[in-house]
Amino acid sequence: MKIIKFLTVVSLVFLTTSCEDFMKPQLDQFKTEEYVLKRRDDYAGILYNAYLGIPGRADLKYEAATDNAVTNTDGTASSRAARGSLNKLSNTFGDVWANDYMYINRLNFFMTTLVLDYTKTYPTPALFDTDASINLQKFFSLKGEAFFLRAWYQFDLLQKYGGMGVDGIAYGFPISTKYLTVNDNLDLPRNTYEECALQIALDCDSAAKYLPLILSKTAGAISDGLVASSGHASAMAALALKARAYLYAASPAYNPTPSQAKWQRAAVAAAEAIALSNGGGAAVGFDDLLTFANYINKTKLNNNDYTNKDSFFRGVINNAVKTWEQENFPPRANGNGNGLYNPTQNLVDAFPMNDGYPRGTSPLNAYDPLAVQTNRDPRMDLFIVRNGETWAKLVPIATLAGGEDAFGSSVKATRTGYYLQKFLDQAVVLNSTGSVTTNFAAILLGKPELYLNFAEAAFNATGSLDLPIAGTTTIVTPQTITAGVAYSYTARAVLAKIRNRALGSTTADKYLSTVTSANFLNLVKNERRCELCFEDFRFWDLRRWATGATDLTALNVPVYGIYSTTVPVEIRSYKTPYMPIPYTEILKTKNLQNNAGW
């Protein structure tokens, strides 16, 4: 996509400063605001600039601060934060508050100017196309993208800074839906968590109204097919984000007085998205998931292939890179890997047996602690490099004590006995001679997460594995009018799609049919852990599942490797499940209340 940076608007909406010039828009060297607002590419560039803040990959520093992983040195932000360095004066992980508000304010500026005026020769702010019909289609496409991107950055604020105040009220962030300048009141209080969730949902609904349900290679963003739309928002992305926001709002950490109505709302939002996820109409979306070979696939995540129907929204494509591989290959794999993020024994133990039974409980398949991959869920061997595995031209990996890839063999070697494999391309060559790179794009909203969101919400809403969430959904977009798509899904049936995809066939899971209500929620949580590991979910899941500021048991689980079952690799020391509002913002304002514990 063409990115035009035309101005720098308020970089931090709620910053107060004596330097008024800092708050004023700074025009590009050669383009005036009047010029930019009338030129198609420059004007669209205001919106497209907001895509620059979309992650190009999962942020693994958060994963390594949970019981899923560690870094190979305890001096990283992940390790220091998990061991207690996270504090209200300095967020070890870094803060996104200013950046998110910068993009929100730019989007508000764009949406303020993106209005139709039928008294003009052409009604759109800029002439996007000389064909009047296409011109309007492009207008509505940009409008939908703007609503989605604002919802995206709002959710990022809610996820990272939402929490319980000392007054017992769950708060989110100060909602801003108008373009703010230095002349506006910038000292705004935080809205409640519920108000923020509703605002995100409203923007998602608005985005879905204007965007194509699913992007296609032939159609692009508009029906004439002139726009390459890979990486742009779609209505499905908006519906999936809405379901995620409602799931968070129903979670115990932000829903202290348990509300089944909020769980029901989250379940319905996820069910509606599932029903439409294959394009609506007769193609109701409740189906088996793509195999991992097709879902986690380099070709299906690039600019020329739209057939990954299980991916609703992905990050910016990283072309011809070897960043992840350089970061995470074992030190001697294909030349000088850094082995940074190491899966824990805790995570390895979480994967079930290949018939779905928890590790060591299968009546037919024995568990061998000396060959952890035997009779196990194939995801474990697909996501994690373990001892004895052939990986990245190393035959075999040797991580047992004294091995060539074991702890102590190099300053970059694993601390746990495991290396990361998920999303890595083992064909990459790191050394300078014969260098081989790869293309990569992170899946940011996908059908596996949507299924898991539904299973959790539906069970909490009904108290049953098999009581359906049923209804009918209708969506109208510029390209698609879908009327009366009926759905009727149960928590158990939807979870079965995740588990059977993992195990390799629709009949592989022998355990789920035996599960009762008493242990179903724990099973769902474990499935999220296994399925979504290293996709930046675990850190936030553990926090939203906490029942209050003093509920730290799940967050502070010691983590282990293969070298000892009694001596932890790291001990966690979090003080509260909630993250602190940036202290600089607290100092600058009178109305921001921090989260409990800070």
Side-chain angles (χ1 to χ4, degrees):
M1 71 180 63
K2 186 172 183 179
I3 306 293
I4 305 280
K5 183 178 180 182
F6 92 104
L7 54 77
T8 301
V9 296
V10 182
S11 65
L12 175 54
V13 171
F14 303 102
L15 175 67
T16 57
T17 174
S18 60
C19 183
E20 184 173 311
D21 288 342
F22 181 83
M23 303 295 291
K24 291 181 178 179
Q26 295 176 2
L27 301 180
D28 197 290
Q29 293 179 28
F30 304 108
K31 298 176 182 178
T32 66
E33 182 176 327
E34 181 182 13
Y35 179 96
V36 167
L37 294 180
K38 290 182 178 179
R39 267 64 181 179
R40 178 189 63 186
D41 290 344
D42 291 357
Y43 184 72
I46 306 171
L47 169 72
Y48 293 156
N49 181 275
Y51 278 99
L52 293 176
I54 299 296
R57 54 172 289 180
D59 197 339
L60 296 185
K61 69 174 179 282
Y62 289 109
E63 194 84 3
T66 74
D67 52 355
N68 273 3
V70 298
T71 51
N72 63 0
T73 172
D74 61 9
T76 61
S78 303
S79 181
R80 289 185 290 111
R83 289 183 288 114
S85 72
L86 181 64
N87 62 75
K88 69 178 182 180
L89 299 179
S90 174
N91 187 338
T92 315
F93 296 110
D95 280 306
V96 299
W97 184 277
N99 222 42
D100 284 351
Y101 273 119
M102 175 186 70
Y103 286 118
I104 288 171
N105 207 41
R106 287 179 178 175
L107 290 162
N108 287 343
F109 176 87
F110 181 77
M111 295 165 81
T112 297
T113 59
L114 191 73
V115 294
L116 291 173
D117 183 354
Y118 286 101
T119 66
K120 301 289 181 64
T121 305
Y122 52 89
T124 54
L127 182 61
F128 301 116
D129 196 280
T130 55
D131 183 307
S133 176
I134 295 174
N135 188 51
L136 281 178
Q137 288 181 63
K138 184 60 180 175
F139 171 89
F140 288 118
S141 176
L142 292 171
K143 193 176 185 72
E145 288 184 79
F147 275 116
F148 172 81
L149 289 168
R150 188 168 71 180
W152 178 271
Y153 289 112
Q154 288 172 336
F155 179 78
D156 195 43
L157 288 169
L158 189 64
Q159 181 188 61
K160 290 183 169 65
Y161 300 110
M164 197 69 61
V166 294
D167 56 6
I169 297 175
Y171 289 101
F173 54 88
I175 295 174
S176 173
T177 57
K178 60 169 286 190
Y179 176 59
L180 296 175
T181 71
V182 70
N183 297 316
D184 293 299
N185 175 24
L186 304 177
D187 188 4
L188 302 177
R190 295 168 71 188
N191 288 83
T192 67
Y193 201 98
E194 174 68 4
E195 289 169 341
C196 292
L198 291 173
Q199 177 60 48
I200 292 167
L202 180 64
D203 278 357
C204 287
D205 285 340
S206 296
K209 176 181 176 182
Y210 294 117
L211 293 171
L213 188 58
I214 295 176
L215 296 177
S216 70
K217 182 176 181 179
T218 56
I222 56 179
S223 59
D224 71 329
L226 295 178
V227 179
S229 305
S230 180
H232 290 239
S234 67
M236 269 312 308
L239 295 172
L241 181 58
K242 174 184 174 180
R244 182 190 287 179
Y246 275 162
L247 179 77
Y248 271 62
S251 299
Y254 317 116
N255 186 18
T257 303
S259 168
Q260 281 189 301
K262 289 184 179 179
W263 285 115
Q264 177 74 14
R265 181 180 65 182
V268 168
E272 290 179 342
I274 290 170
L276 295 166
S277 61
N278 277 352
V284 175
F286 182 53
D287 60 357
D288 296 331
L289 300 168
L290 293 176
T291 64
F292 283 106
N294 282 317
Y295 182 60
I296 305 173
N297 181 291
K298 307 298 180 184
T299 300
K300 293 183 183 299
L301 290 175
N302 70 20
N303 269 328
N304 302 311
D305 193 318
Y306 294 78
T307 58
N308 188 345
K309 65 184 179 62
D310 290 358
S311 173
F312 305 140
F313 188 60
R314 59 145 181 77
V316 176
I317 294 171
N318 300 287
N319 290 309
V321 295
K322 45 188 174 183
T323 309
W324 275 41
E325 289 75 18
Q326 180 77 59
E327 181 181 80
N328 292 296
F329 270 180
R332 66 185 183 97
N334 287 355
N336 303 315
N338 286 311
L340 182 59
Y341 292 104
N342 312 151
T344 61
Q345 188 67 47
N346 309 48
L347 176 59
V348 170
D349 290 348
F351 287 93
M353 307 302 288
N354 60 11
D355 55 6
Y357 277 85
R359 175 182 58 90
T361 67
S362 171
L364 298 176
N365 298 307
Y367 168 66
D368 183 354
L370 299 180
V372 294
Q373 78 283 0
T374 302
N375 297 329
R376 298 295 294 281
D377 181 329
R379 288 177 297 188
M380 191 207 79
D381 213 30
L382 184 64
F383 296 168
I384 298 170
V385 179
R386 40 81 190 169
N387 183 68
E389 181 178 0
T390 299
W391 170 250
K393 300 183 180 179
L394 294 184
V395 187
I397 292 285
T399 59
L400 297 181
E404 290 181 275
D405 308 295
F407 178 65
S409 63
S410 162
V411 294
K412 299 177 181 178
T414 175
R415 293 166 66 197
T416 64
Y418 298 102
Y419 290 95
L420 178 63
Q421 180 173 339
K422 191 174 185 181
F423 296 129
L424 271 60
D425 186 346
Q426 66 171 320
V428 166
V429 176
L430 300 179
N431 53 41
S432 57
T433 59
S435 177
V436 177
T437 59
T438 188
N439 294 345
F440 181 78
I443 297 173
L444 303 177
L445 289 162
K447 191 178 285 189
E449 182 213 346
L450 181 61
Y451 278 18
L452 288 163
N453 290 350
F454 173 83
E456 180 181 347
F459 176 75
N460 279 296
T462 64
S464 168
L465 290 70
D466 302 305
L467 191 64
I469 301 291
T472 303
T473 185
T474 300
I475 186 169
V476 179
T477 76
Q479 289 187 39
T480 308
I481 299 177
T482 300
V485 177
Y487 59 83
S488 181
Y489 311 138
T490 69
R492 193 196 305 261
V494 172
L495 188 64
K497 298 293 187 183
I498 295 287
R499 290 170 61 82
N500 283 320
R501 189 271 291 265
L503 299 176
S505 78
T506 57
T507 60
D509 186 3
K510 308 300 182 186
Y511 176 68
L512 185 56
S513 62
T514 71
V515 173
T516 64
S517 297
N519 54 6
F520 182 76
L521 191 56
N522 285 335
L523 180 63
V524 172
K525 291 180 178 180
N526 196 71
E527 279 303 309
R528 285 187 72 90
R529 181 181 194 178
C530 296
E531 177 70 24
L532 302 177
C533 66
F534 301 102
E535 296 186 41
D536 198 13
F537 285 96
R538 181 71 173 169
F539 187 88
W540 310 109
D541 279 344
L542 290 175
R543 277 153 179 77
R544 70 180 178 84
W545 289 329
T547 57
T550 59
D551 183 11
L552 301 171
T553 303
L555 276 73
N556 288 334
V557 171
V559 293
Y560 295 87
I562 64 175
Y563 305 112
S564 174
T565 58
T566 58
V567 179
V569 174
E570 260 185 21
I571 296 176
R572 309 310 196 190
S573 301
Y574 291 110
K575 302 171 184 177
T576 171
Y578 309 118
M579 301 289 277
I581 302 295
Y583 190 61
T584 52
E585 303 302 322
I586 297 293
L587 289 177
K588 294 168 188 170
T589 63
K590 297 178 181 179
N591 291 315
L592 279 183
Q593 179 183 162
N594 218 329
N595 290 322
W598 304 109

